[in-house]
Amino acid sequence: MMKQTFLRGTFLLFGLLFHLLSQSLVCCSTSLDDSLLKELRQRCPLADPHIHEDTVLSGAKDAGKYEVITHATNLTACVHACCNSSKCHVALLHKENCVTVECFNAEVCQLTAGFGSSLVVVRNVDSRNLEGDAQMIAQPSDNKTHESVKTDTEDDLLSSDIKSLTQPTNSTPVTKDRTCEIGLMDCVKNEQCVSLGNRRKNGLCQCLPTFYRKTSTGECVEKESTSPMASKEAESTTHHPDGNGGKANSFVESSSSSDSASPSPVVSTNEVPQKESLSSPPPNMSSQNPVEKLFVSIHNKTVSLEAGCTFYEKRVTLSAYAIGETLGYKYEWTLLQQPDSDDHGSVSDTNSQTITLTHLTQGVYIFKVVVDAPSAHGEAVGNVTVCSPKRINQPPKAVIVPPSQEIKLPTSGVIIDGSGSTDDDDDIESYHWEMVTAPLGYKLSDQTGPTLQLTDLIPGTYRIMLRVKDKEGLEGNATTVVNVIKETDYPPTANAGGAKIVYLPQTEIILCGNTSTDDHGIEEWEWTKGPKDSGKAVDMQDTRTPFLHLSNLEEGHYQFILRVTDSIGQSSNTSVYVYVQKPNLAAPKANAGEDVQIVLPNTTVVLDGSHSTDTTQTTHWLWKQISGPNYAQFSKTDEVKVNVSGLTKGKYLFGLTTWNGDDHTVNTTDNITVTVIQDKNVPPKANAGGDFSVILPASVVRVDGSKSNDDVAVTRWLWERDATSLAAGKVINGSDHSPVLMFTDVVAGGYVWKLTVWDEQGASNSDTVSIIVKEGPHHLDEVEVVVGGDIGSMSYSQLSTLLQKLELFLHTGDSVVAIHLISLTGLPHSGHVTLTFCLCWERGCQGTRYCINAWHQVMSESSELLDLPLLSVDTVVCQNNCSGHGECIQATRECRCRTWWMESFIRRHMEDGIQNCVKSRPPGSLLDSASESDSDAEILFDSRKMKHKGDKQRNGYHKLARIRT
């Protein structure tokens, strides 16, 4: 009885260990490369084309026979090695160590998590003697909703398994249980074959109940109670049939036990309701009898829906395993959680060790099992996870545009577009262009983008392959062909022109071969005399150019041969004849062409004399106008064709005269009539010339409107002053009725004139122009001098003497003053001479501060020094500020004083003669108050004094004093 209990507990503990290790797998994996699948498909059909990352075999060292392949350092080589061995089932790569595995059965070759390892199932295990669900190497769990419960013990176990796989086959440890078959003597001394499941013949060799496996030798030895080490090893054997020691026991308890201190093996998005403690004893147990705690585990299941299905079609079983000393277990299953769906599925055998589930939908089903016995109790929670359908990654499809193309040199570049390549996940990871075949010497540059650009191609055929890969490494490819055709270089074609006739005394001519052609260009030119030449002497120049210059020709005929050569040496030649004849003394017959009629607004005609006969290269041409409404304009008059422009409405007669040689007396003449008609009248277009400005002094202002035009002619002009224009200035020579307006006597300001033009039909058009007259840069410095004399009797000599004397009077010790005369006029009525000038010296021109000095100097020394009396000197622009109490009138130079201010009589007539404005005074104080020295305070004081006298006017008016003059 104890032996059976031990065997059952050992088997359940092994299953629980496998269950916990398998929880760390995920639902997804990568796939083998397409090229590798194609290579292996014939020899080694794959049961599973997926690459299982971070995966090992759950049975670790007991999974089967292992062999380390030292020459395989990558997964591809490792899979090849496994495929080449007929007994290999699994290829496992840990870092760079390849291990091939021969699985003795599918139960121990379950896939589980193994960090840093990659695994590929190459062959199925022979399943003829296997039962249940283990018909092939079990696939890993892909339930992403489960959280792996890893401890330091688990990591040590996985690390130990991986280390054992990477050891040589002759050093495999013997501390693990060996596989065996029930009924056969496969086990050694002190061992027995323990079945792996109900009705299964295969099992594991394990120590007898009173023995334990010694870790140093791997043998089963009898327990010795007196030895502490033996007791420790026996305790290890009791709880760990795989012989891994205390670490394995700790891993199992933390991962599989239903004790409340252990973490739950299930993690769900919805909290699982805990109605009662899993470790509490059943209610029917008597508190007087001890209750044994059963260790219960459930092998969780993960399945995936088929593509296009909403529920799982197959049956799913969920089994509970109890470990304890009691037999006759009773099971009770309870559903704790299921997916939120209208279709809840079904469950059967809820009071047995294994329940069966059908018609499951996507999500997590969580069950609780309660295991009872007469003196034992245990509980556990398990789940079945239904994943969404696994997406089968399809390899990308490479698309090249264009699939083939042909180019012809000199085009030496093409662009090949692979951006149209597609993938089922729209995620192409890489593009790789590969040159399959190419002309010798051409190398493809490294280009990894979707577009390939080829340059500097040479003739030949290029076959190029595009490989595209997705993120999972699947590849698609396509090829394109580019044919580069060598360019055909055709020979050149020589062309020396037609035969030429030369009439003596002309002895020179130029032959032109520039019309010769080649597809790539002519490199060389060569002129020679031909064999049919008359033998006459001739001078040949520029024989290596397209233009042959012949001179000193004699009467007779000449043959010349032109040979042209292209860049690769191909050549072509042609010949041309030159005939030299006696002088043609007969006059050519002139033909000026047929009469021409044009319609306005066209005003141009071409006169063509090319239809004249008996002409030679010595023929002379002469065109002239005989009559017409106006004078036409010829482009040239001595050519066979000339352009005539500027025509207007009416008839024109033109004549052509031709002669040969130098004797122009032997000639012929022909005339042509050109008629210009007006189909409809177009109004004229006035053009006043555009706005402009004038700077004084300006004697005459000209406004040009001659650019006004009409389809026939402008017959009338009229200039009118605009209402906003200045009135000063007068029009001269009646120019207001001509194309150009001229007016004089302008002053500073703005002038606006309107020009109106008419044609002979009376249609008119107008345009305006603005003229801004600006003061000169020195207008404030201009001085005006009036001398006694008649403008009609003053000679130039008198004027020069007057200016020279004025310069002497104004001369100072540090500078020489020169007078720049601006104008010389006569005053109305009196006829006195008025001179306007500027005083200039090295630093510039000025006159304001010198005009008064000149007046006083001349008048004080002697006015008789001048031939003419000096009447006045003043600036042209009045600059007297009238002592700040009035304004100067420009026309009279007089001060207009403000109210209560008056001119100083004493200063004006007895002192410097300068006009000013001073405060008015009562009668009797004129002489005292006339001086500018009186201050404003004195004036106010006098006013107050008058007020104190109390003189009141009876009629309300003040009596003003009489001023003597």
Side-chain angles (χ1 to χ4, degrees), residues 98 392 422 574 615 680 839 874 911:
C98 174
I392 301 177
T422 58
T574 187
T615 59
K680 62 179 181 178
L839 302 178
D874 205 347
E911 295 181 358

Side-chain angles (χ1 to χ4, degrees), residues 461-482:
T461 300
Y462 299 77
R463 185 179 299 276
I464 304 164
M465 176 179 290
L466 170 62
R467 297 180 183 271
V468 295
K469 288 185 178 181
D470 60 13
K471 286 189 175 181
E472 296 185 11
L474 294 184
E475 178 183 298
N477 60 71
T479 58
T480 182
V481 177
V482 178

Side-chain angles (χ1 to χ4, degrees), residues 42-282:
Q42 297 296 329
R43 182 174 180 179
C44 188
L46 297 178
D48 184 3
H50 300 292
I51 301 173
H52 302 279
E53 302 290 349
D54 294 333
T55 306
V56 296
L57 298 177
S58 63
K61 291 174 290 186
D62 293 331
K65 182 179 180 181
Y66 304 95
E67 181 179 358
V68 178
I69 309 299
T70 58
H71 65 273
T73 59
N74 55 59
L75 187 60
T76 300
C78 191
V79 172
H80 273 292
C82 183
C83 184
N84 291 335
S85 176
S86 60
K87 295 184 179 181
C88 179
H89 296 94
V90 177
L92 186 146
L93 184 71
H94 180 69
K95 297 183 179 178
E96 294 184 355
N97 299 312
C98 174
V99 178
T100 59
V101 183
E102 177 185 358
C103 294
F104 297 148
N105 56 70
E107 188 69 24
V108 296
C109 278
Q110 293 282 352
L111 306 186
T112 186
F115 303 105
S117 302
S118 300
L119 182 147
V120 175
V121 178
V122 178
R123 290 184 179 85
N124 292 339
V125 179
D126 188 3
S127 59
R128 289 173 295 178
N129 297 326
L130 304 180
E131 300 178 0
D133 295 333
Q135 298 300 313
M136 58 181 292
I137 295 179
Q139 298 300 310
S141 172
D142 55 1
N143 181 12
K144 293 184 180 180
T145 63
H146 292 199
E147 179 180 335
S148 300
V149 181
K150 296 189 181 79
T151 64
D152 294 339
T153 304
E154 180 185 359
D155 292 338
D156 293 342
L157 176 61
L158 294 177
S159 176
S160 173
D161 291 342
I162 295 300
K163 290 179 181 178
S164 67
L165 293 179
T166 57
Q167 297 295 327
T169 55
N170 56 2
S171 62
T172 303
V174 296
T175 58
K176 287 286 186 178
D177 297 333
R178 295 182 300 276
T179 58
C180 60
E181 186 175 349
I182 303 297
L184 299 179
M185 300 300 295
D186 292 337
C187 300
V188 297
K189 182 181 179 180
N190 299 328
E191 292 181 352
Q192 62 180 352
C193 186
V194 180
S195 176
L196 294 177
N198 296 334
R199 297 177 294 174
R200 292 186 178 180
K201 293 183 178 182
N202 56 324
L204 297 176
C205 290
Q206 299 180 354
C207 294
L208 295 175
T210 59
F211 291 81
Y212 70 96
R213 190 176 300 280
K214 197 171 184 179
T215 57
S216 60
T217 61
E219 299 177 349
C220 293
V221 296
E222 189 174 3
K223 299 179 181 178
E224 296 179 4
S225 59
T226 59
S227 174
M229 183 61 66
S231 300
K232 185 175 183 179
E233 291 185 358
E235 181 183 357
S236 173
T237 305
T238 302
H239 293 285
H240 314 289
D242 58 355
N244 280 338
K247 288 186 178 181
N249 183 36
S250 174
F251 175 77
V252 170
E253 289 182 356
S254 63
S255 304
S256 302
S257 175
S258 62
D259 186 70
S260 60
S262 302
S264 173
V266 179
V267 176
S268 175
T269 56
N270 298 324
E271 183 178 359
V272 179
Q274 300 293 336
K275 296 183 178 180
E276 59 184 20
S277 173
L278 297 178
S279 60
S280 60

Side-chain angles (χ1 to χ4, degrees), residues 724-736:
T724 60
S725 174
L726 288 177
K730 61 180 180 179
V731 177
I732 61 174
N733 299 332
S735 59
D736 55 344

Side-chain angles (χ1 to χ4, degrees), residues 19 22-23 25-27 139-146 299-305 312 316-318 360 363-364 383-388 390:
H19 157 67
S22 65
Q23 296 303 305
L25 295 180
V26 296
C27 294
Q139 298 300 310
S141 172
D142 55 1
N143 181 12
K144 293 184 180 180
T145 63
H146 292 199
H299 183 192
N300 295 332
K301 294 291 183 71
T302 300
V303 297
S304 298
L305 295 175
Y312 191 68
V316 181
T317 60
L318 196 63
L360 302 181
V364 179
N383 59 50
V384 175
T385 302
V386 182
C387 294
S388 60
K390 294 183 179 180

Side-chain angles (χ1 to χ4, degrees), residues 512-532:
C512 299
N514 60 331
T515 55
S516 303
T517 58
D518 184 68
D519 52 354
H520 289 88
I522 297 175
E523 295 288 333
E524 298 179 4
W525 312 77
E526 182 182 8
W527 294 88
T528 58
K529 292 184 69 174
K532 297 181 180 180

Side-chain angles (χ1 to χ4, degrees), residues 252-367:
V252 170
E253 289 182 356
S254 63
S255 304
S256 302
S257 175
S258 62
D259 186 70
S260 60
S262 302
S264 173
V266 179
V267 176
S268 175
T269 56
N270 298 324
E271 183 178 359
V272 179
Q274 300 293 336
K275 296 183 178 180
E276 59 184 20
S277 173
L278 297 178
S279 60
S280 60
N284 57 354
M285 291 292 179
S286 173
S287 60
Q288 298 177 356
N289 298 326
V291 179
E292 179 185 356
K293 182 175 69 174
L294 297 177
F295 291 93
V296 181
S297 67
I298 299 176
H299 183 192
N300 295 332
K301 294 291 183 71
T302 300
V303 297
S304 298
L305 295 175
E306 297 291 336
C309 296
T310 58
F311 57 88
Y312 191 68
E313 299 282 355
K314 301 179 181 179
R315 294 182 305 131
V316 181
T317 60
L318 196 63
S319 301
Y321 301 92
I323 301 176
E325 299 295 334
T326 305
L327 299 179
Y329 299 125
K330 294 182 180 180
Y331 300 88
E332 181 179 356
W333 293 83
T334 304
L335 176 65
L336 300 181
Q337 180 180 319
Q338 64 179 355
D340 185 10
S341 174
D342 295 337
D343 194 346
H344 301 294
S346 61
V347 59
S348 60
D349 303 327
T350 56
N351 295 110
S352 63
Q353 181 181 2
T354 302
I355 61 175
T356 302
L357 307 174
T358 57
H359 210 74
L360 302 181
T361 59
Q362 182 177 344
V364 179
Y365 295 82
I366 301 178
F367 292 90

